[in-house]
Amino acid sequence: MTETGVRFTDGSLEECSLIVYATGYLYSYPYLSIDSGVTCNGDYVRPLWMHCLSINKPTLGFIGLPNLICPNQMFQLQVEFCLTFMTKRKKLPSKEQMLEEYELDMLERWKKGLSKRKGHFLGHKAEAQKKYYDELAKKANIEGIKSCIVKIHSHAHLNRSKHFTNYRNVKYTIIDENNFIVSPLQ
């Protein structure tokens, strides 16, 4: 790294003003102390209640760990969820209860054949995502993500796999809380 960019091993220099540290869902938090109560081997972060709140240190939240999700909406929902408990607007369940829920969730994942690498995987199916979002909202007594938003995300994901070069050439129009229509961009 230089003051204005990056010098590569071949000697070339690329100027830049921003570097995004993205690990491709290889979770790494080298700045967290062992005292944080959270461990991470790269595959998934644990133990977290609802994939975002540290069970051992419930003032520590991790936003955005689940993948194949409605990103902005889920980030907002997780922030509101964590803040509800961090600000004591709602009392946390006991540590034992959070650990039990966490362990059951992980056990379900492993029984489905998911690898440790998929410890925070929600999948592209709208039902699985909606279940997680609704559970977050219910536990924190906050507004969840509208069903049509989750369905749109799932549709867009499927559309991308079928029509990779032009999947963005559509417009989604929300009809009501549960329905939307898709039309070509004009």
Side-chain angles (χ1 to χ4, degrees):
M1 303 297 299
T2 69
E3 284 187 36
T4 59
V6 179
R7 183 172 310 282
F8 294 94
T9 55
D10 68 359
S12 64
L13 178 65
E14 185 70 35
E15 290 193 11
C16 60
S17 59
L18 175 71
I19 295 175
V20 176
Y21 178 69
T23 63
Y25 294 108
L26 176 62
Y27 305 105
S28 174
Y29 303 98
Y31 45 84
L32 283 180
S33 159
I34 191 78
D35 298 333
S36 71
V38 173
T39 59
C40 176
N41 65 354
D43 290 338
Y44 68 106
V45 183
R46 59 194 176 279
L48 298 180
W49 186 47
M50 297 301 296
H51 299 276
C52 59
L53 193 61
S54 170
I55 293 172
N56 293 319
K57 302 279 185 182
T59 56
L60 178 60
F62 291 80
I63 306 305
L65 295 180
N67 48 48
L68 286 180
I69 44 86
C70 300
N72 297 328
Q73 292 83 3
M74 188 198 72
F75 299 159
Q76 178 69 30
L77 189 61
Q78 285 185 322
V79 166
E80 289 181 35
F81 174 86
C82 288
L83 286 175
T84 294
F85 296 103
M86 289 176 178
T87 61
K88 301 190 185 329
R89 282 181 285 178
K90 192 162 184 198
K91 187 177 186 226
L92 276 168
S94 69
K95 182 176 180 178
E96 293 75 24
Q97 185 178 344
M98 289 188 289
L99 276 169
E100 183 179 328
E101 288 180 26
Y102 160 77
E103 288 167 358
L104 283 172
D105 179 48
M106 291 296 112
L107 188 60
E108 280 182 36
R109 291 166 183 284
W110 311 152
K111 281 183 179 178
K112 288 179 186 174
L114 294 176
S115 68
K116 300 282 190 226
R117 187 90 177 93
K118 302 278 185 173
H120 299 294
F121 180 78
L122 291 187
H124 63 275
K125 293 186 177 175
E127 301 80 29
Q129 289 186 36
K130 186 75 171 117
K131 179 182 174 193
Y132 172 71
Y133 305 145
D134 288 349
E135 197 172 346
L136 276 175
K138 182 179 177 185
K139 287 180 183 298
N141 197 27
I142 56 178
E143 187 176 341
I145 299 174
K146 304 281 187 235
S147 182
C148 64
I149 300 297
V150 180
K151 290 177 183 177
I152 287 171
H153 179 268
S154 186
H155 182 273
H157 180 81
L158 182 62
N159 199 29
R160 183 177 77 183
S161 66
K162 290 181 177 179
H163 311 285
F164 185 72
T165 58
N166 63 355
Y167 73 97
R168 292 184 180 178
N169 296 333
V170 296
K171 177 174 86 170
Y172 293 93
T173 304
I174 295 172
I175 304 300
D176 57 37
E177 180 152 332
N178 294 304
N179 300 293
F180 63 94
I181 57 172
V182 182
S183 54
L185 281 178
Q186 303 287 331

